[in-house]
């Protein structure tokens, strides 16, 4: 075979590989509000310059609806990214922490405990893919898939571990060509969030729906086997870390079951020697100046008004107890300044009605 023919064959093979990679990027987990911005949150994290975050705040939508990172940066100088995946199962917290530590020398991990009140019946194909479909290919991604499948096996759900689309996204998402695929998907293949991770892309954060006061039971309820196991394993993993770990219970209108499971989770965490900041107490409702008739858009999430209060009180706590503003881990001021400006514009555009109502 002539050298020219060999070169042509190699070039052709490389083109096929590049097209295959591009197709699997395009025909992948969708972006946008309908997908709760999971793709954008991952891409925003991956786009961060190395070692520019002081802390990463992990958990469900109780994180990016509550923590306004540009506000915290503006008021205190700390760079804390809210790495929130809506309805995330607890099994994925450790793989996400491992992914963070590949590029960020954080001083602190903040972990919201709400995810541990769920169990394996709550995991779904979509919820798992918000994590695994958006992770970069590595042994960590494979680990997340395997652990996700094992966790799902405890419950009744729609997870099919034999589905090859977990590894080849095109097999699941090829039908997007006739559905929601648009020009932006073809050009901007790695969309990011404009607001430092805060969920200002969700119109609901600028609305208000009155809520009842939360259940305040002091009783405890056993966790499901898989949730108790994941909590124990996460605490063991935290023991191996060089950075600090803070657990948080963000304020929401709990059911009796959620309250009593949270009480159990709190005991396990404290017994393991880790700090837990419990915002679901009368003391912190007062410190936050929470108004359950105005500061929520549903029973599980604060709106922008509640998030401003939460961020201010929580950032002051971090400032006092962790000195993140002094850590200044080679922080990227241009990124945070831009995020703050974009959020300010978004509030002017979408938040005026909510702000006006709060002044009445």
């Amino acid at each position: 075979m002539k050298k020219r023919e060999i070169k042509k064959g190699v070039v052709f093979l490389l083109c096929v590989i590049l097209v295959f990679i591009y197709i699997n990027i395009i025909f992948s987990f969708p972006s946008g509000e309908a997908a709760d911005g999971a793709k954008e949150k991952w891409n925003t994290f991956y786009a961060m310059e190395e070692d520019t975050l002081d802390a990463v705040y992990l958990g469900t939508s109780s994180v990016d609806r509550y923590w306004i990172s540009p506000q915290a940066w503006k008021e205190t100088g700390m760079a804390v990214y809210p790495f929130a995946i809506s309805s995330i199962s607890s099994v994925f917290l450790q793989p996400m922490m491992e992914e963070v530590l590949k590029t960020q020398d954080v001083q602190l991990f903040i972990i919201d405990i709400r995810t541990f009140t769920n169990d394996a019946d709550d995991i779904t194909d979509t919820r798992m893919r918000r994590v695994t479909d958006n992770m970069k290919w590595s042994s960590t991604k494979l680990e997340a898939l395997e652990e996700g499948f094992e966790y799902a096996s405890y419950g009744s759900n729609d997870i099919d571990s034999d589905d090859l689309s977990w590894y080849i996204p095109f097999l699941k998402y090829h039908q997007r060509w006739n559905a929601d695929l648009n020009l932006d998907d073809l050009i901007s293949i790695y969309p990011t969030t404009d607001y430092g991770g805060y969920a200002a892309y969700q119109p609901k954060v600028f609305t208000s729906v009155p809520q009842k006061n939360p259940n305040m039971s002091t009783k405890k309820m056993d966790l499901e086997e898989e949730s108790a196991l994941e909590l124990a394993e996460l605490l063991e993993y935290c023991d191996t870390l060089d950075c600090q770990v803070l657990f948080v219970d963000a304020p929401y209108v709990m059911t009796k079951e959620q309250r009593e499971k949270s009480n159990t989770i709190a005991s396990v965490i404290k017994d393991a020697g880790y700090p837990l900041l419990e915002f679901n107490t009368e003391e912190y409702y007062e410190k936050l100046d929470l108004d359950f008739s105005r500061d929520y858009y549903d029973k599980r999430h604060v709106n922008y008004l509640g998030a401003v209060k939460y961020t201010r009180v929580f950032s002051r706590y971090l400032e006092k107890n962790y000195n993140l503003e002094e850590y200044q881990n080679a922080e990227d001021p241009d990124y945070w300044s831009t995020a703050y400006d974009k959020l300010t514009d978004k509030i002017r555009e979408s938040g005026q009605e909510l702000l006006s109502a709060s002044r009445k």
Side-chain angles (χ1 to χ4, degrees), residues 134-185:
N134 292 302
M135 292 181 79
K136 287 185 176 180
W137 268 104
S138 69
S139 59
T140 309
K141 175 170 180 165
L142 293 175
E143 171 193 327
L145 283 165
E146 290 306 311
E147 291 185 0
F149 295 147
E150 181 179 354
Y151 177 86
S153 70
Y154 281 91
S156 176
N157 49 64
D158 63 352
I159 302 298
D160 180 5
S161 60
D162 294 325
D163 187 345
L164 285 178
S165 67
W166 294 106
Y167 307 95
I168 307 174
F170 177 77
L171 297 176
K172 180 174 181 65
Y173 299 108
H174 64 277
Q175 293 181 345
R176 290 189 63 203
W177 184 264
N178 297 316
D180 63 340
L181 202 67
N182 56 50
L183 186 60
D184 285 341
D185 292 315

Side-chain angles (χ1 to χ4, degrees), residues 26 35 47 81 90 110 122 125 127 185-186 205 231 253 266 269 280:
I26 298 302
Y81 182 62
S90 56
I110 306 166
D122 297 308
D125 181 275
R127 290 173 177 177
D185 292 315
L186 301 177
V205 303
L231 178 56
V253 184
I269 290 170
N280 277 297

Side-chain angles (χ1 to χ4, degrees), residues 27-299:
F27 293 94
S28 61
F29 195 89
S31 59
E33 178 192 337
D36 203 45
K39 182 178 232 176
E40 290 89 336
K41 295 168 191 174
W42 278 97
N43 289 340
T44 298
F45 169 74
Y46 283 132
M48 293 276 183
E49 291 186 24
E50 287 194 19
D51 296 334
T52 56
L53 293 175
D54 300 322
V56 170
Y57 188 175
L58 294 158
T60 68
S61 53
S62 56
V63 172
D64 66 342
R65 269 65 165 182
Y66 286 67
W67 180 255
I68 308 176
S69 50
Q71 174 191 331
W73 172 81
K74 186 71 173 179
E75 294 179 356
T76 68
M78 63 182 67
V80 180
Y81 182 62
F83 206 169
I85 305 299
S86 183
S87 302
I88 187 176
S89 295
S90 56
V91 68
F92 299 118
L93 291 174
Q94 180 177 330
M96 288 181 69
M97 294 167 77
E98 292 174 0
E99 199 72 359
V100 167
L101 292 173
K102 291 178 183 179
T103 57
Q104 300 294 334
D105 180 24
V106 293
Q107 182 188 3
L108 175 69
F109 276 117
I110 306 166
I111 301 174
D112 190 277
I113 69 170
R114 191 181 302 186
T115 182
F116 291 103
T117 64
N118 298 327
D119 56 45
D121 288 342
D122 297 308
I123 193 172
T124 66
D125 181 275
T126 297
R127 290 173 177 177
M128 181 165 167
R129 289 181 185 275
R130 286 175 184 158
V131 178
T132 58
D133 279 13
N134 292 302
M135 292 181 79
K136 287 185 176 180
W137 268 104
S138 69
S139 59
T140 309
K141 175 170 180 165
L142 293 175
E143 171 193 327
L145 283 165
E146 290 306 311
E147 291 185 0
F149 295 147
E150 181 179 354
Y151 177 86
S153 70
Y154 281 91
S156 176
N157 49 64
D158 63 352
I159 302 298
D160 180 5
S161 60
D162 294 325
D163 187 345
L164 285 178
S165 67
W166 294 106
Y167 307 95
I168 307 174
F170 177 77
L171 297 176
K172 180 174 181 65
Y173 299 108
H174 64 277
Q175 293 181 345
R176 290 189 63 203
W177 184 264
N178 297 316
D180 63 340
L181 202 67
N182 56 50
L183 186 60
D184 285 341
D185 292 315
L186 301 177
I187 299 173
S188 301
I189 59 177
Y190 295 113
T192 57
T193 173
D194 289 331
Y195 314 113
Y198 175 60
Y201 63 89
Q202 283 282 6
K204 291 182 289 187
V205 303
F206 297 110
T207 64
S208 178
V209 178
Q211 304 297 324
K212 297 179 180 179
N213 288 342
N215 184 288
M216 301 301 290
S217 172
T218 58
K219 295 180 180 179
K220 296 178 182 178
M221 177 181 292
D222 289 342
L223 303 179
E224 298 296 333
E225 179 184 357
E226 63 273 20
S227 298
L229 179 63
E230 289 304 327
L231 178 56
E233 291 184 352
L234 182 68
L235 291 168
E236 287 181 7
Y237 172 69
C238 290
D239 289 342
T240 70
L241 299 176
D242 293 328
C243 62
Q244 299 180 80
V245 180
L246 169 66
F247 290 88
V248 174
D249 188 12
Y252 69 107
V253 184
M254 294 181 176
T255 64
K256 184 174 183 292
E257 178 180 333
Q258 289 166 337
R259 166 65 70 176
E260 293 178 359
K261 283 185 175 181
S262 293
N263 292 340
T264 300
I265 295 163
S267 292
V268 173
I269 290 170
K270 291 174 183 177
D271 287 346
Y274 285 93
L276 170 65
L277 187 55
E278 298 179 86
F279 282 107
N280 277 297
T281 62
E282 294 288 359
E283 176 188 358
Y284 265 104
Y285 295 157
E286 186 174 342
K287 283 184 179 180
L288 291 166
D289 190 28
L290 269 184
D291 184 343
F292 286 94
S293 69
R294 280 186 174 176
D295 294 344
Y296 284 75
Y297 72 76
D298 66 24
K299 64 184 180 180

